[in-house]
Amino acid sequence: MTTQAPLSWPGIARLGLVQSALGAIVMLASSLLNRIMVVEYAMAAALPAGLVAFHYGVQLSRPKWGHGSDEGWRRTPWIIGGMAVLGGGGILATFATTLLAGPFWPVFAALVLAYAMIGIGVGAAGTSLLALLATRTAEARRPAAASLTWIMMIVGIVISAGTAGALLDPFSPQRLIAVAAGVVAVAFCVTCLAVWGIEGGPQSEAKREAAPFGEALKGIWGDPLTRLFSIFVFFSMLAYSMQDLILEPFAGLVFGMTPGQSTSLSGVQHQGVLAGMILVGVGGHAFGGRAGMKLKRWIVAGCLASAVALASLALAARAGPGWPLAINVALLGFANGMFAVAAIGSMLELAGRGGPGHEGIRMGLWGASQAAAFGIGGFAGAFAVDRLRATLRADAPAFELVFAAEAVLFLLAAIIAFRLNDRMESNPAGRRNLEEAVA
């Protein structure tokens, strides 16, 4: 039996380029088209918000896509195929958006199809990419690999958003389609070049008979650590995503910031996220620990620090102007970056649990948990603030309660994360049963 060499740093960076390409196309659907629908075509904000939530719902199919790449023992076709579907969905969504001035329902049907394609593309390509990274990255490099690839994804979003924004002026539907087609074309070409030959040839060992999807998923869910980690991913990402749509309105309503100032505040938060990711990438590599989940301490620390930062934002809502809001938001971003990239690194570490050949379905399960949390979190945070503002007839107390609830969710996530190692180390029999169930 032959074993392929672990990925070098240039190889890991190449997979990071695929993450950048994914982020660039998703930016079209979640950010650019959101603004175009609401501002240029005067649609209700519920339309793009609902479509984005729908694409997260479609991503609940991630375990199926991961299992498919496990069955084939090849990730590259799933990555390229997923990017092709994602790119096609991005172009269709853009074209349909330019038709919103006409009859609504045919355009809406096209948008639903487009966002379904986007969800399928992200699920197939993203899950298979993470499975490949987990399979081929040396254990000692996984914290830094997770940090590097996620930083590259953020950089890809920033570059594509800035470039697309500059090229869109003056706005016209034809220019929008041309810019979207350019982003998709560049992203797809980058993906193909990045993954070309990186996976190597087919393995010489005999291919095992893969278990049917339902049996494989049942066996993996029966593993206590995998199940507990899925629950952790859901609650932590739920807390993480709840502030996405309310932080800038909070800055405007409670602190009187202008749109430009609140946008700058969002930039401060993302700088903090990058700093937290870099810390885990370096510190997790050097001080990850020697047994069990090497990044558990970073996950717990990131969740606790996020809870403290959100509790501080709740106090900021009560204190109002004069509170060091920029510092508070920077610390929130820093803590979020710590826990998020440590969680991704732990996914890479745990993906091979139960033996090789099941990394894809595990990554799919955790990706589905994350997608469900993101689909619920952003909507729940915004809905809760709206209802509380109407009930309390005041802005600050509404934001205070929602930020406090997010802090509690992060505390719950930290408690779950603290128990992860216990479940792994105390259940060797469960691990043997798992191997038998999914083999």
Side-chain angles (χ1 to χ4, degrees), residues 28-433:
L28 288 175
S30 63
S31 179
L32 180 59
L33 294 184
N34 183 357
R35 180 247 151 81
I36 297 295
M37 289 181 195
V38 174
V39 178
E40 273 69 25
Y41 288 94
M43 294 287 113
L47 175 62
L51 289 169
V52 170
F54 172 65
H55 113 279
Y56 280 124
V58 172
Q59 288 187 54
L60 294 178
S61 62
R62 274 178 176 260
K64 181 63 176 175
W65 305 122
H67 183 255
S69 69
D70 287 339
E71 282 187 312
W73 283 67
R74 294 282 292 169
R75 315 290 183 186
T76 300
W78 291 86
I79 295 171
I80 294 177
M83 285 295 296
V85 174
L86 172 59
I91 292 175
L92 177 59
T94 304
F95 179 71
T97 297
T98 64
L99 302 178
L100 280 171
F104 175 75
W105 290 111
V107 175
F108 178 71
L111 285 170
V112 169
L113 173 61
Y115 277 79
M117 292 173 65
I118 291 169
I120 291 170
V122 171
T127 302
S128 300
L129 175 67
L130 288 174
L132 178 58
L133 193 64
T135 305
R136 295 289 309 283
T137 303
E139 185 176 356
R141 290 181 173 178
R142 286 171 185 165
S147 181
L148 176 62
T149 52
W150 250 251
I151 287 172
M152 291 181 71
M153 182 179 70
I154 293 175
V155 169
I157 293 173
V158 170
I159 291 175
S160 60
T163 303
L167 294 175
L168 272 175
D169 290 329
F171 175 80
S172 70
Q174 295 76 19
R175 185 179 290 266
L176 174 63
I177 293 173
V179 168
V183 170
V184 169
V186 170
F188 185 74
C189 290
V190 166
T191 296
C192 292
L193 292 173
V195 300
W196 184 266
I198 198 168
E199 194 173 9
Q203 297 295 287
S204 62
E205 68 265 24
K207 178 179 168 183
R208 288 181 301 179
E209 186 70 26
F213 172 69
E215 291 181 19
L217 185 61
K218 181 180 179 181
I220 287 170
W221 185 253
D223 174 35
L225 178 63
T226 300
R227 183 170 61 248
L228 193 62
F229 192 76
S230 301
I231 295 170
F232 159 76
V233 169
F234 177 80
F235 280 104
S236 60
M237 292 301 176
L238 182 65
Y240 179 83
S241 61
M242 279 183 69
Q243 52 85 26
D244 274 356
L245 300 180
I246 65 174
L247 188 58
E248 289 194 43
F250 167 68
L253 291 169
V254 178
F255 283 77
M257 288 187 172
T258 65
Q261 289 173 326
S262 65
T263 301
S264 297
L265 190 68
S266 179
V268 169
Q269 182 184 18
H270 284 95
Q271 291 171 22
V273 169
L274 287 175
M277 289 181 171
I278 292 170
L279 174 66
V280 173
V282 175
H285 181 73
F287 308 108
R290 298 186 179 182
M293 285 185 58
K294 294 177 176 58
L295 293 175
K296 188 183 80 167
R297 68 186 71 179
W298 295 95
I299 294 176
V300 173
C303 287
L304 291 176
S306 296
V308 171
L310 284 163
S312 298
L313 280 180
L315 295 176
R318 179 167 296 191
W323 187 270
L325 186 61
I327 295 175
N328 198 154
V329 169
L331 291 175
L332 174 63
F334 181 79
N336 285 172
M338 278 180 60
F339 107 81
V341 87
I344 298 298
S346 295
M347 289 183 191
L348 300 183
E349 182 182 350
L350 298 175
R353 181 173 164 81
H358 310 292
E359 296 87 352
I361 192 170
R362 273 193 180 77
M363 283 296 184
L365 178 61
W366 297 326
S369 296
Q370 177 179 323
F374 269 78
I376 296 170
F379 175 79
F383 179 79
V385 165
D386 285 344
R387 297 307 303 162
L388 287 169
R389 288 177 65 201
T391 301
L392 301 175
R393 300 183 183 276
D395 295 331
F399 285 103
E400 179 183 357
L401 289 173
V402 174
F403 287 139
E406 290 181 62
V408 171
L409 283 174
F410 265 120
L411 286 176
L412 177 60
I415 293 170
I416 297 172
F418 188 77
R419 292 178 55 82
L420 286 171
N421 231 23
D422 297 338
R423 290 297 184 95
M424 178 168 64
E425 295 173 353
S426 65
N427 193 39
R431 278 179 287 180
R432 289 194 298 271
N433 292 338

